[in-house]
C-alpha cells in the first residue's frame, strides 16, 4: 500500500503535490479547530443544562406547591405535562410521601446524530431531584430529567455547517491555487519544450520571460545558456568544417604524389630491369613501392573515415544478407577467399538494419579484410555472420576463427592507426575498426569485440532497429 | 409521547387521584383548614404549628387544605376532618357531624368589612347601589354572609362578584377590578400591610371571634384535650412563640397571636347570625 502510494506520489505532478499538501494541511488544521470548537460547545451545553436543571429545581417546587398542598393531583399532573412539554425537559415526576408517583414524559426524539459524535462530545441527559416542602413539612420529591438531544443536534448541525463551509472554502482555495499554479508553472512547460528542442539540435529557440520572478530568472539563464551553446556550436562547426576541409584537401593533394610515386617506381623498375639491379637497390625499390601503396591505402581510409559524417543518402532498412552478398561479390574477393581456403557462412535468418547500404558494405568489407589478414596460417578461415535482436536493439555478430584479440586490447584496436603486433608485409592502415566504430556510432549504436567460441574474434555491432 | 408511556402516566394519575395529596402518614389525624389565604400561604402558616403540636403532644396532625371554601364546607359537612379550623360548624344540618369548639386564636375578634381603595370616589355604602361588589365566596362568613346581610338590610342592592378566597378578592380590589369588597378585617389588614396597599373602610360589623378550632366527635377526648392544651400553651413556650412569630411574619400579622382554649359559648353570636340571616345564597 505504501509502495503504491509512493509510486503514485512520484507520478503526481508538482501542481498536484502542492494542492494535495496544502489541502491536507488545511484539512488537518481545520479538523483540529472544529474538534476543539465542538468540545467547547459541548462543555458550554453541559454547563447550560446544569444551570437550567438547577433553575428548574429551584423554580418548579414552589410552582407546584399549591397543587401539592391542596392535593389537586389532576392539576398537578396537567402542570407536569406542561413542564415536560418544554423542549429541554424530557421527563418530570413527583413522588409524594406515600410513594405515589405522577410522571410526565415527553422526551424529544433522539437527534439524528452519529453515535461516535455523541461519544466524542460526552454529554447526555442529566437528572436532578428537589424536595417539595411547604412550611417546613416535606410533601414529596420532584425529579427533573433534562435532555441533551437539542444541544447535541445543534452542535452537530453547527459542525456540519462549518465543515460544509470549510469544504467550500477549500474548493474555492483549490480552484484559485490551481489557476495560479497552472499559470505560474506554464513557463516550465515551455522551458521543457525548449530544452527538448535544443537537445534535438535547434539552438535558435529562445523563451520570452514570464511567470514568477524565480521562473523569469531561470528563463534568462536558459536563454543565456542557449546563446552560449549556439555560439560554441557555431565555432565548433566552423572549426570542424575547416579541419575536415583541410584534411580532405590534404588527402586529395597527397593522393596525386602517392599515385605518381607508385607509377614512377614501377617505371623505374621496368626501365632498370630486374637483373641489372643490385640486391639492396631492388629491396629499396620494393620498399618504396610498398610504402607508396600503404600511403594510398591510408589516404583512402582517411577519406572513408571523414565521409561517414557527410553522407546524404537516405537511410532505409537494409538487409544484412544482401550487404554481405555485395561484399562477397566484389571483384577478386571470391578468388581471394578460394586462394586461402576460407569459408563465409550466414545465419538462416538475418534482420534488416537502419543504415546506409554502402556504409554497411564498408563495415563488412573492413571486417572481412581483417578476418583474412589476421587468420591463423594453419587453420582454414571460417567467418560466420549471425544476429539476435530484442526490443529496439539488433546485435550483428561477425565471428572468425582467426588469431583473436586479447581482452586488454579489445578497446584499443578501435583507435585510429592502432595496429596490434604488425608483421612484415602487413599492409594494414590501423584505421579499419575506427571506421567501423564511427559508422555504427553515427547510426546510434556501438561496437565491441568478444572472443569467438573455440578461438578467434567476434565483432558485435549493436544497432537500433529504427531509423536513427 | 409513546402509547405505553402515556398509558403508564394515565394509570399513575388515576392511582394518585385515588389517594389524598398530603404530607400525611396513614395514622395521622387530619386538620382541615378553611381557605382564607392562598393554599401555599395557608400551609406555610399552619404546618410549623402542627409540627409543634406533634412534637409537644404526640398527636400527629396532617394539614388538609381544600381548594376552595365550598370544598372545605363540604368536607366538614361530610365529617372528613378530625380537626378543623373553620366557622362553618355552627349551623349543622341534620346528619352532619357536630364539631366541638376546643380552641380559638388568641387575638382580637374579626369583623366583616366593606372596603374600597383609599383613592376611590366611593365614600358611602349608598354609592355602591347597583354596582358590582367583590366577595371572597358565598361561604365566607365575615367576608360575604355578614356584609351582604347588612347591605340587604340597608336596602343597598349590589351585584356580588366572587374572587374564590380572601386573597383573590383583595387582589382584584387592589387591581381595580372591583370598586369595593367584603372582607375579613384581619386578613384585609395583613394583606394591605404585605402589599403596601391603602384602603378605606365603608362599613364594619360587630366583632366575631375568629375561626374556631373544633374537633370531630369521633376523636378521643384525651387526644382532643392534648391538642387543646398544646395550642393554649404555645404562646407561653419560647419554642411555640418562635413558631407563632414566624407564622405571623409570614402572613403580615402585626404581632404573633397564640391560641386559647374555647367552648361553643364563645361563638354564640355566630348561631344568632345563622338564625336571622337574610342572605339566601350564603352557605
Amino acid at each position: 500500500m505504501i509502495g503504491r502510494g509512493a509510486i503514485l506520489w512520484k507520478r503526481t505532478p508538482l501542481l498536484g503535490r502542492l494542492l494535495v499538501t496544502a489541502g491536507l494541511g488545511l484539512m488537518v488544521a481545520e479538523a483540529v479547530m472544529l474538534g476543539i470548537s465542538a468540545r467547547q460547545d459541548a462543555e458550554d451545553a453541559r454547563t447550560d443544562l446544569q444551570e437550567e436543571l438547577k433553575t428548574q429545581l429551584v423554580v418548579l417546587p414552589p410552582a407546584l406547591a399549591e397543587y401539592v398542598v391542596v392535593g389537586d393531583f389532576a392539576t398537578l399532573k396537567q402542570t407536569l405535562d406542561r413542564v415536560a412539554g418544554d423542549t429541554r425537559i424530557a421527563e418530570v415526576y413527583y413522588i409524594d410521601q406515600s410513594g405515589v408517583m405522577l410522571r410526565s414524559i415527553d422526551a424529544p426524539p433522539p437527534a439524528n446524530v452519529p453515535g461516535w459524535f455523541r461519544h466524542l462530545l460526552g454529554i447526555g441527559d442529566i437528572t436532578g431531584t428537589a424536595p417539595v416542602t411547604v412550611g417546613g413539612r416535606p410533601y414529596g420529591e420532584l425529579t427533573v430529567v433534562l435532555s441533551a438531544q437539542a444541544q447535541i443536534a445543534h452542535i452537530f448541525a453547527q459542525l456540519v455547517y462549518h465543515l460544509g463551509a470549510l469544504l467550500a472554502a477549500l474548493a474555492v482555495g483549490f480552484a484559485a491555487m490551481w489557476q495560479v499554479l497552472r499559470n505560474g508553472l506554464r513557463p516550465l512547460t515551455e522551458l521543457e519544450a525548449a530544452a527538448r528542442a535544443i537537445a534535438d539540435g535547434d539552438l535558435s529557440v529562445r523563451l520570452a520571460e514570464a511567470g514568477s520572478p524565480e521562473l523569469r530568472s531561470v528563463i534568462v539563464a536558459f536563454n543565456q545558456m542557449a546563446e552560449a551553446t549556439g555560439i560554441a556550436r557555431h565555432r565548433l562547426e566552423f572549426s570542424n568544417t575547416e579541419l575536415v576541409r583541410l584534411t580532405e584537401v590534404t588527402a586529395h593533394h597527397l593522393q596525386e604524389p602517392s599515385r605518381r610515386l607508385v607509377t614512377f617506381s614501377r617505371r623505374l623498375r621496368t626501365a632498370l630491369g630486374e637483373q641489372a639491379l643490385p640486391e639492396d637497390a631492388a629491396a629499396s625499390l620494393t620498399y618504396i613501392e610498398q610504402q607508396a601503396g600503404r600511403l594510398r591505402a591510408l589516404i583512402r581510409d582517411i577519406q572513408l573515415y571523414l565521409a561517414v559524417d557527410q553522407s546524404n543518402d537516405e537511410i532505409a532498412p537494409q538487409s544484412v544478407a544482401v550487404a554481405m552478398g555485395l561484399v562477397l561479390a566484389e571483384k577478386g574477393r571470391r578468388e581471394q577467399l578460394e586462394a586461402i581456403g576460407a569459408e563465409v557462412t550466414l545465419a538462416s535468418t538475418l534482420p534488416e538494419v537502419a543504415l546506409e547500404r554502402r556504409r554497411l558494405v564498408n563495415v563488412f568489407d573492413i571486417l572481412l579484410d581483417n578476418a583474412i589478414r589476421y587468420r591463423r596460417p594453419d587453420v582454414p578461415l571460417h567467418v560466420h555472420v549471425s544476429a539476435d535482436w530484442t526490443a529496439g536493439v539488433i546485435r550483428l555478430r561477425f565471428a572468425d576463427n582467426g588469431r583473436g584479440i586479447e581482452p586488454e586490447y579489445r578497446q584499443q584496436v578501435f583507435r585510429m592507426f592502432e595496429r596490434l603486433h604488425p608483421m612484415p608485409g602487413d599492409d594494414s592502415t590501423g584505421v579499419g575498426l575506427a571506421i567501423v566504430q564511427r559508422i555504427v556510432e553515427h547510426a546510434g549504436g556501438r561496437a565491441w569485440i568478444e572472443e569467438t567460441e573455440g578461438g578467434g574474434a567476434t565483432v558485435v555491432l549493436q544497432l537500433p532497429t529504427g531509423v536513427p | 409521547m409513546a402509547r405505553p408511556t402515556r398509558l403508564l402516566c394515565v394509570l399513575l394519575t388515576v392511582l394518585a387521584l385515588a389517594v389524598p395529596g398530603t404530607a400525611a402518614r396513614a395514622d395521622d389525624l387530619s386538620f382541615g383548614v378553611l381557605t382564607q389565604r392562598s393554599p401555599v400561604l395557608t400551609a406555610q402558616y399552619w404546618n410549623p404549628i402542627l409540627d409543634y403540636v406533634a412534637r409537644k403532644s404526640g398527636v400527629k396532625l396532617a394539614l388538609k387544605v381544600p381548594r376552595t371554601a365550598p370544598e372545605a364546607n363540604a368536607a366538614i359537612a361530610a365529617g372528613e376532618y378530625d380537626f378543623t379550623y373553620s366557622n362553618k360548624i355552627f349551623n349543622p344540618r341534620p346528619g352532619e357531624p357536630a364539631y366541638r369548639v376546643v380552641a380559638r386564636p388568641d387575638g382580637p375578634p374579626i369583623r366583616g368589612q366593606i372596603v374600597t381603595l383609599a383613592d376611590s370616589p366611593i365614600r358611602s355604602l349608598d354609592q355602591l347601589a347597583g354596582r358590582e361588589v367583590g366577595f371572597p365566596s358565598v361561604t365566607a362568613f365575615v367576608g360575604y354572609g355578614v356584609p351582604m346581610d347588612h347591605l340587604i338590610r340597608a336596602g343597598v342592592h349590589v351585584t356580588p362578584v366572587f374572587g374564590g378566597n380572601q386573597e383573590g378578592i383583595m387582589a382584584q380590589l387592589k387591581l381595580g377590578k372591583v370598586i369595593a369588597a367584603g372582607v375579613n378585617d384581619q386578613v384585609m389588614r395583613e394583606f394591605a400591610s404585605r402589599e403596601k396597599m391603602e384602603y378605606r373602610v365603608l362599613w364594619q360589623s360587630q366583632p366575631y371571634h375568629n375561626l374556631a378550632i373544633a374537633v370531630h366527635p369521633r376523636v378521643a377526648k384525651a387526644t382532643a384535650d392534648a391538642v387543646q392544651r398544646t395550642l393554649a400553651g404555645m404562646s407561653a413556650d419560647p419554642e411555640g412563640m418562635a413558631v407563632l412569630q414566624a407564622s405571623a411574619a409570614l402572613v403580615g400579622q402585626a404581632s404573633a397571636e397564640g391560641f386559647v382554649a374555647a367552648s361553643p359559648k364563645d361563638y354564640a353570636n355566630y348561631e344568632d347570625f345563622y338564625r336571622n340571616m337574610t342572605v339566601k345564597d350564603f352557605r
Side-chain angles (χ1 to χ4, degrees):
Chain A
M1 190 68 185
I2 294 173
R4 291 166 81 183
I7 291 170
L8 188 63
W9 183 251
K10 280 183 181 175
R11 290 178 180 170
T12 304
L14 177 63
L15 182 63
R17 292 182 188 198
L18 286 171
L19 289 177
V20 169
T21 307
L24 283 176
L26 283 171
M27 287 287 283
V28 169
E30 289 292 337
V32 169
M33 285 176 61
L34 287 180
I36 292 171
S37 173
R39 289 301 297 260
Q40 185 58 50
D41 287 348
E43 192 58 42
D44 292 347
R46 193 179 296 115
T47 306
D48 279 355
L49 279 178
Q50 286 166 347
E51 286 295 321
E52 172 149 359
L53 181 64
K54 201 184 295 179
T55 303
Q56 294 286 4
L57 291 176
V58 169
V59 170
L60 283 179
L64 301 176
E66 181 171 338
Y67 312 119
V68 169
V69 165
V70 301
D72 185 359
F73 279 19
T75 307
L76 179 60
K77 178 64 173 61
Q78 289 175 0
T79 307
L80 292 181
D81 287 344
R82 267 201 310 278
V83 170
D86 185 289
T87 51
R88 286 190 177 184
I89 296 178
E91 184 179 352
V92 57
Y93 53 89
Y94 170 76
I95 304 174
D96 79 356
Q97 293 293 89
S98 60
V100 174
M101 176 191 280
L102 289 181
R103 187 177 200 178
S104 288
I105 300 175
D106 191 13
N112 189 18
V113 172
W116 62 264
F117 186 73
R118 294 168 190 275
H119 183 70
L120 184 71
L121 289 184
I123 58 173
D125 297 353
I126 60 171
T127 302
T129 299
V132 179
T133 305
V134 184
R137 182 169 288 196
Y139 279 75
E141 277 188 348
L142 181 74
T143 299
V144 176
V145 180
L146 286 186
S147 169
Q149 298 299 330
Q151 277 90 343
I152 292 173
H154 175 72
I155 295 170
F156 186 69
Q158 284 285 99
L159 181 71
V160 170
Y161 173 77
H162 287 148
L163 200 58
L166 164 67
L167 291 177
L170 273 180
V172 171
F174 270 25
M177 284 171 63
W178 181 79
Q179 189 65 25
V180 168
L181 288 172
R182 195 183 68 144
N183 290 339
L185 294 177
R186 185 175 294 147
L188 276 184
T189 310
E190 294 170 356
L191 192 63
E192 179 191 0
R196 290 187 188 282
I198 286 181
D200 290 341
D202 180 9
L203 295 180
S204 65
V205 65
R206 298 289 184 275
L207 290 175
E209 289 181 35
S212 64
E214 297 85 352
L215 284 175
R216 285 172 179 272
S217 177
V218 170
I219 289 170
V220 168
F222 173 84
N223 286 341
Q224 289 172 344
M225 178 201 72
E227 187 69 28
T229 306
I231 292 170
R233 175 176 161 175
H234 177 73
R235 286 177 181 162
L236 191 63
E237 283 177 347
F238 178 78
S239 172
N240 196 43
T241 303
E242 284 298 303
L243 187 62
V244 168
R245 195 176 66 78
L246 179 64
T247 308
E248 284 175 345
V249 169
T250 304
H252 177 75
H253 287 281
L254 283 175
Q255 208 169 27
E256 181 59 21
S258 68
R259 190 176 58 78
R260 288 190 180 180
L261 195 61
V262 172
T263 302
F264 283 101
S265 61
R266 282 177 184 167
R267 278 190 187 180
L268 185 60
R269 179 181 291 282
T270 304
L272 293 175
E274 290 286 341
Q275 291 79 12
L277 287 175
E279 188 178 348
D280 56 342
S284 295
L285 188 59
T286 300
Y287 184 73
I288 289 170
E289 286 174 341
Q290 285 176 344
Q291 293 306 311
R294 177 170 159 71
L295 179 61
R296 290 194 66 186
L298 270 171
I299 292 168
R300 183 200 63 215
D301 282 353
I302 287 170
Q303 285 179 319
L304 185 57
Y305 184 87
L306 293 172
V308 171
D309 285 346
Q310 296 166 2
S311 174
N312 291 321
D313 287 0
E314 185 181 350
I315 297 174
Q318 299 297 327
S319 165
V320 171
V322 169
M324 198 60 202
L326 290 173
V327 170
L328 294 174
E330 286 172 353
K331 184 180 178 184
R333 181 67 84 184
R334 183 177 300 277
E335 292 77 12
Q336 181 190 25
L337 293 173
E338 284 177 357
I340 60 173
E343 181 189 17
V344 177
T345 58
L346 305 181
S348 59
T349 304
L350 287 171
E352 292 183 334
V353 294
L355 204 63
E356 276 182 67
R357 176 179 290 180
R358 60 175 173 162
R359 298 296 171 221
L360 192 57
V361 170
N362 288 153
V363 167
F364 287 141
D365 241 345
I366 292 167
L367 294 180
L368 187 57
D369 282 346
N370 280 351
I372 293 168
R373 184 173 295 121
Y374 300 111
R375 71 183 184 280
R376 281 187 278 186
D378 53 341
V379 178
L381 174 63
H382 178 221
V383 172
H384 182 69
V385 180
S386 64
D388 65 78
W389 53 94
T390 57
V393 173
I394 293 171
R395 288 190 188 87
L396 292 177
R397 296 180 181 277
F398 193 96
D400 65 34
N401 59 345
R403 281 181 276 170
I405 301 173
E406 291 85 350
E408 61 268 30
Y409 298 122
R410 287 175 189 167
Q411 285 290 326
Q412 186 179 329
V413 295
F414 284 102
R415 296 179 195 159
M416 283 285 272
F417 309 121
E418 195 69 47
R419 293 192 300 167
L420 292 179
H421 317 304
M423 304 280 289
D426 182 0
D427 59 351
S428 168
T429 61
V431 180
L433 284 177
I435 293 172
V436 169
Q437 188 179 47
R438 189 169 169 83
I439 289 173
V440 171
E441 288 182 351
H442 189 73
R446 67 189 187 93
W448 68 90
I449 293 173
E450 296 173 354
E451 184 169 350
T452 305
E453 190 177 345
T458 297
V459 179
V460 183
L461 309 175
Q462 179 174 291
L463 291 163
T465 53
V467 177
Chain B
M1 196 184 293
R3 181 170 293 178
T5 308
R6 193 179 301 161
L7 185 60
L8 176 65
C9 288
V10 169
L11 287 173
L12 287 171
T13 303
V14 169
L15 182 62
L17 291 173
V19 178
T22 68
R25 290 174 292 277
D27 55 346
D28 290 355
L29 296 177
S30 56
F31 188 97
V33 175
L34 178 65
T35 311
Q36 289 179 303
R37 305 180 181 93
S38 74
V40 172
L41 201 57
T42 301
Q44 288 173 330
Y45 182 90
W46 279 104
N47 273 333
I49 294 171
L50 299 187
D51 285 342
Y52 173 83
V53 171
R55 282 197 303 277
K56 296 297 179 182
S57 69
V59 179
K60 293 173 182 171
L61 298 172
L63 182 68
K64 299 287 185 183
V65 183
R67 277 173 291 197
T68 60
E71 263 187 34
N73 294 341
I76 291 167
E80 291 178 4
Y81 303 143
D82 297 311
F83 287 85
T84 182
Y85 178 65
S86 173
N87 56 9
K88 293 296 178 184
I89 57 173
F90 304 112
N91 189 28
R93 292 171 185 165
E96 293 180 357
Y99 279 88
R100 178 171 60 88
V101 174
V102 293
R104 66 173 176 81
D106 184 16
I110 58 172
R111 296 167 191 270
Q113 285 183 336
I114 297 173
V115 300
T116 186
L117 292 176
D119 57 358
S120 168
I122 304 296
R123 300 279 173 181
S124 67
L125 292 182
D126 297 343
Q127 291 175 280
L128 295 177
R131 309 286 291 268
E132 285 187 343
V133 174
F135 299 95
S137 71
V138 291
T139 60
F141 181 74
V142 293
Y144 176 61
V146 173
M148 192 63 180
D149 181 68
H150 178 77
L151 286 171
I152 291 170
R153 290 179 193 277
V156 180
H157 298 289
V158 300
T159 304
V161 175
F162 298 102
N165 56 37
Q166 298 274 357
E167 296 271 343
I169 200 61
M170 288 185 294
Q172 288 196 29
L173 179 67
K174 181 185 177 187
L175 295 172
K177 292 188 175 180
V178 291
I179 193 74
V183 296
N184 175 322
D185 69 332
Q186 275 186 24
V187 179
M188 183 68 221
R189 194 161 52 246
E190 293 161 9
F191 180 85
S193 167
R194 218 170 47 239
E195 300 292 327
K196 313 290 186 219
M197 186 183 113
E198 294 183 357
Y199 63 100
R200 180 187 304 128
V201 179
L202 298 176
W203 171 86
Q204 71 177 8
S205 70
Q206 63 167 300
Y208 293 87
H209 282 307
N210 207 340
L211 308 189
I213 296 172
V215 62
H216 193 282
R218 67 171 169 263
V219 177
K221 185 170 184 307
T223 301
D225 290 348
V227 171
Q228 185 185 45
R229 277 195 306 276
T230 305
L231 287 172
M234 198 171 174
S235 55
D237 177 15
E239 182 186 347
M241 180 51 77
V243 172
L244 290 171
Q245 284 173 338
S247 291
L250 190 72
V251 297
Q253 283 178 346
S255 60
E257 60 182 32
F259 299 94
V260 293
S263 68
K265 282 189 288 183
D266 295 328
Y267 289 85
N269 58 352
Y270 275 83
E271 292 175 1
D272 290 343
F273 175 81
Y274 280 114
R275 271 197 299 275
N276 302 311
M277 72 173 178
T278 59
V279 186
K280 291 181 181 175
D281 59 348
F282 175 62
R283 296 194 295 273

